[in-house]
Amino acid sequence: MQQAPAVGITPVPFAPELAPVIQAMAASPQPPMSRETIAASRGSSQGMFPSPAEVIGERPVEAIERIIPGPAGAPDLEITILRPRTPAPGGHSVPGLFNIHGGGMVVGHRDWETGRLVDLVEKHGVVAVNVEYRLAPENPYPAGVEDCYAGLAWMSENAAELGIDPDRIVVMGGSAGGGFSAALTLMARDRRGPAIAGQLLLCPMIDNTNTSISNRQYAGLGTWTREANLLAWECVLGPDLAFSSEAPAYAAPTRAADLAGLPPAFIEVGSAEPFRDEDIEYATRIWATGGEAELHVWSGGFHGFDIYAPESELTRAALASRDSWLQRLLFPQPA
């Protein structure tokens, strides 16, 4: 595997209110992730996040577990549907959120992000579909992204049953899920469907080359390090394409030559994390085509700060920005 270079680049400091999280991680260091420890990492995360029923409690949201068809010739997919307990007045359809979980495309489970989705379902009255996809290295590219595309297609095709407006579906996710979401907008554009109204990309993992300044700043530092990122891309793409500019765009969306014709994007990233520069560049390239992108770079935010520090002021501001964008996109006020 490619090794992190010895570079003397000073990292952007973490926000003071987030420092206790980093200090706690330093006090209980985990073994570096490797191909040999990926399975153990998956196992240790099981049970760390509550089930949908535990997250929901008495809130006016219901969770439905379904099995749906996967890509042609591939296994079926597990999904969780989260929707308001009370249908929309008059039987009107509502917007839909198609969520893809993070984990570097090598670890993770959809239950990790149930809390985020339940909040959005309750606040905006939308229906969310949370998809499970195959992980690398056992299932390298294109398994994961094709699973996600099949799930999105199913959601669009079954919009009436779900009570969803097929013209108001937003793809969303954090980290690897943000990268998959960006890839889905490229696939949907190129394959002429399904319709996507917007893409909510939270610290998306989109550049396989690992050459940016921010990527080098966080070697061995933070919640998702350069070393973990190098390993993840090698697991997904294999040694020949892992860090190559010739990697397919549906794996690493920064490889796309043309970002025109994409739905409006919301791109969020911390200033103190490896994906900062690639995410800023992605927004800039969308603007260069005349496209719509709203970019938020949160000062001192590390990777996934909203998950690790949910009570912080930084998280409060980030959540308010996401809510505002969704409200403006999905429920626009009359001119």
Side-chain angles (χ1 to χ4, degrees):
M1 187 182 78
Q2 177 177 334
Q3 299 297 312
V7 292
I9 300 177
T10 303
V12 175
F14 301 120
E17 66 172 335
L18 303 182
V21 175
I22 300 298
Q23 292 166 357
M25 292 178 64
S28 301
Q30 300 298 312
M33 191 166 67
S34 66
R35 281 181 175 265
E36 291 71 33
T37 64
I38 285 175
S41 296
R42 293 174 188 166
S44 65
S45 67
Q46 294 297 322
M48 290 178 59
F49 292 84
S51 68
E54 292 172 307
V55 173
I56 291 169
E58 299 301 318
R59 299 168 75 176
V61 176
E62 65 178 358
I64 302 168
E65 304 294 341
R66 290 280 297 269
I67 303 293
I68 64 172
D76 290 341
L77 304 176
E78 297 178 358
I79 64 168
T80 304
I81 302 167
L82 298 160
R83 65 187 185 188
R85 290 190 188 277
T86 303
H92 294 297
S93 59
V94 300
L97 304 177
F98 184 79
N99 185 75
I100 309 169
H101 69 76
M105 298 180 276
V106 295
V107 297
H109 188 273
R110 66 188 185 282
D111 284 353
W112 284 16
E113 299 179 7
T114 301
R116 172 187 289 163
L117 294 174
V118 169
D119 289 345
L120 293 173
V121 169
E122 184 176 17
K123 182 170 294 186
H124 297 286
V126 299
V127 172
V129 172
N130 200 9
V131 68
E132 202 62 48
Y133 55 87
R134 288 171 289 171
L135 299 171
E138 300 92 332
N139 299 283
Y141 173 83
V145 73
E146 290 292 352
D147 283 354
C148 294
Y149 183 82
L152 174 65
W154 178 90
M155 181 181 182
S156 180
E157 292 163 3
N158 293 272
E161 175 195 343
L162 297 168
I164 291 172
D165 180 350
D167 293 322
R168 288 192 293 166
I169 293 176
V170 171
V171 295
M172 63 171 288
S175 193
F180 277 135
S181 296
L184 288 191
T185 68
L186 296 170
M187 297 170 79
R189 178 197 65 184
D190 299 343
R191 298 177 181 181
R192 302 188 182 280
I196 298 176
Q199 47 182 325
L200 181 63
L201 312 180
L202 309 176
C203 53
M205 177 182 178
I206 53 178
D207 181 11
N208 65 300
T209 63
N210 297 275
T211 54
S212 71
I213 294 295
S214 62
N215 188 287
R216 296 169 186 269
Q217 284 177 310
Y218 294 93
L221 183 64
T223 54
W224 183 256
T225 65
R226 171 180 170 83
E227 292 83 358
N229 208 50
L230 291 168
L231 171 67
W233 280 115
E234 186 178 46
C235 288
V236 172
L237 289 172
D240 292 337
L241 285 177
F243 317 113
S244 169
S245 60
E246 301 302 315
Y250 297 162
T254 54
R255 304 278 70 78
D258 181 12
L259 298 183
L262 299 178
F266 179 99
I267 301 174
E268 170 191 300
V269 70
S271 69
E273 71 150 288
F275 298 158
R276 181 195 66 222
D277 295 349
E278 63 199 65
D279 294 351
I280 292 172
E281 180 186 12
Y282 202 69
T284 302
R285 290 185 57 203
I286 291 174
W287 291 325
T289 71
E292 297 180 50
E294 181 166 322
L295 173 66
H296 294 263
V297 182
W298 297 105
S299 182
F302 54 65
H303 188 72
F305 64 85
D306 61 313
I307 300 294
Y308 289 93
E311 302 302 320
S312 67
E313 177 61 20
L314 201 62
T315 294
R316 186 205 64 78
L319 295 181
S321 296
R322 298 175 198 173
D323 286 335
S324 174
W325 182 79
L326 284 170
Q327 188 70 29
R328 286 177 279 126
L329 177 75
L330 299 175
F331 306 98
Q333 295 297 312

